[in-house]
Amino acid sequence: MKTDRPKQLLTLNGTPILVHTIRKFEACNVIDYVIVTAPRESLDEVRELVKSAGFKKAIGVIEGGERRQDSVRMGLEHLQSGTEIVAVHDGVRPFVSTQEIENVVAQAGRIGAAILGVPIVDTVKQAEKDFVESTLTREHLLLAQTPQAFRIDILKEAFDHATRDEYYGTDESSLVERMGHPVAIVRGSERNIKITRPSDLTLARALLEEEKAAQ
C-alpha cells in the first residue's frame, strides 16, 4: 500500500476501512458479537475507533499475532461462552454483503465448514521462474474469499493439529482441509474485494458510492 499504516486503518470517504467492514457484521442478524485482532502498535487506536463508531453489538479488540494464523488463534481464545459457529473475516473486505455472511454461516452450521468463493474467469498458468509449465483447468479452480465459517470444535481441532505440526496455512480453510474434513463452497461476489494495493482504493471508492446510491 506504500504506507506504514495498517491497511484496515486507511480511510474510505473519511471512515476507516475497518469500520466499514464491522458495519456489515453489525447489520447481520446471525452475528452476535465481533472480535477484532490488531497489531500491538495500533491496539489503542483501533480500540478508540471502535468505541467512537458507536456500534450496538459487542466489539472486542485484542492484540493479534505475528501472522494471520497467530491472530486467529488468539481470537479463538476470546470467544464468548456458548459460541457454536465462528466466521473469520479479513478486515480489509468491507464490501461483503450481509446475505453472503448469513449464507456461509448457515452452510457451516450444516456441514461444519464453509467458505465464500468465486469462479476464476482468467486463464491461469503454472510457472517456474520466467517460463510457463502448464495451463490449469479453470473449472476446478476458484478464488477463496472471507468470511470463512466453521463449527468451533472443528476449527479449534484444526488449529491444534497445525500447532502440533508447525504448519502455517494461507487461510483457515486450509487447516481444516488437511484434517480431511469437507469444506463447503458458498458463491461469493466479485464485489467482495480485498483492499491490498493502491489501485484497490480507487475501486473501493466506486463500490462505496454504489452502495450509498442503493440505500
Side-chain angles (χ1 to χ4, degrees), residues 99-184:
Q99 187 63 60
E100 287 164 347
I101 299 171
E102 291 176 5
N103 290 346
V104 76
V105 167
Q107 190 69 323
R110 289 187 288 266
I111 305 297
I115 67 170
L116 289 181
V118 292
I120 291 178
V121 296
D122 295 321
T123 298
V124 181
K125 303 287 187 179
Q126 183 172 332
E128 179 64 31
K129 296 183 179 179
D130 295 328
F131 294 90
V132 173
E133 283 199 335
S134 64
T135 300
L136 303 181
T137 304
R138 287 183 303 194
E139 287 75 12
H140 301 295
L141 299 173
L142 81 157
L143 298 174
Q145 299 180 332
T146 66
Q148 300 186 353
F150 310 88
R151 285 208 320 260
I152 293 298
D153 58 326
I154 293 173
L155 189 57
K156 284 188 173 181
E157 182 182 2
F159 268 83
D160 288 343
H161 280 235
T163 300
R164 180 195 66 196
D165 300 337
E166 298 183 349
Y167 174 83
Y168 273 86
T170 55
D171 64 0
E172 294 68 49
S173 175
S174 65
L175 306 188
V176 174
E177 292 162 32
R178 68 190 296 269
M179 289 200 312
H181 194 286
V183 178

Side-chain angles (χ1 to χ4, degrees), residues 13-179:
N13 288 11
T15 300
I17 293 171
L18 178 63
V19 173
H20 285 291
T21 302
I22 295 175
R23 284 175 178 167
K24 294 299 178 64
F25 288 81
E26 166 95 337
C28 186
N29 292 330
V30 300
I31 300 298
D32 296 320
Y33 65 97
V34 174
I35 296 173
V36 178
T37 61
R40 176 180 298 176
E41 61 274 13
S42 304
L43 199 57
D44 290 340
E45 181 181 1
V46 173
R47 282 175 174 159
E48 185 56 37
L49 281 176
V50 167
K51 182 179 178 180
S52 62
F55 294 114
K56 295 179 180 178
K57 291 181 180 177
I59 313 292
V61 180
I62 65 169
E63 183 178 333
E66 183 178 349
R67 292 187 257 189
R68 171 198 175 107
Q69 189 167 314
D70 301 319
S71 296
V72 175
R73 179 177 53 79
M74 290 176 168
L76 291 176
E77 295 173 358
H78 288 78
L79 297 178
Q80 294 180 8
S81 176
T83 301
E84 297 179 353
I85 302 287
V86 61
V88 182
H89 190 63
D90 296 318
V92 288
R93 287 188 187 268
F95 299 107
V96 65
S97 70
T98 56
Q99 187 63 60
E100 287 164 347
I101 299 171
E102 291 176 5
N103 290 346
V104 76
V105 167
Q107 190 69 323
R110 289 187 288 266
I111 305 297
I115 67 170
L116 289 181
V118 292
I120 291 178
V121 296
D122 295 321
T123 298
V124 181
K125 303 287 187 179
Q126 183 172 332
E128 179 64 31
K129 296 183 179 179
D130 295 328
F131 294 90
V132 173
E133 283 199 335
S134 64
T135 300
L136 303 181
T137 304
R138 287 183 303 194
E139 287 75 12
H140 301 295
L141 299 173
L142 81 157
L143 298 174
Q145 299 180 332
T146 66
Q148 300 186 353
F150 310 88
R151 285 208 320 260
I152 293 298
D153 58 326
I154 293 173
L155 189 57
K156 284 188 173 181
E157 182 182 2
F159 268 83
D160 288 343
H161 280 235
T163 300
R164 180 195 66 196
D165 300 337
E166 298 183 349
Y167 174 83
Y168 273 86
T170 55
D171 64 0
E172 294 68 49
S173 175
S174 65
L175 306 188
V176 174
E177 292 162 32
R178 68 190 296 269
M179 289 200 312

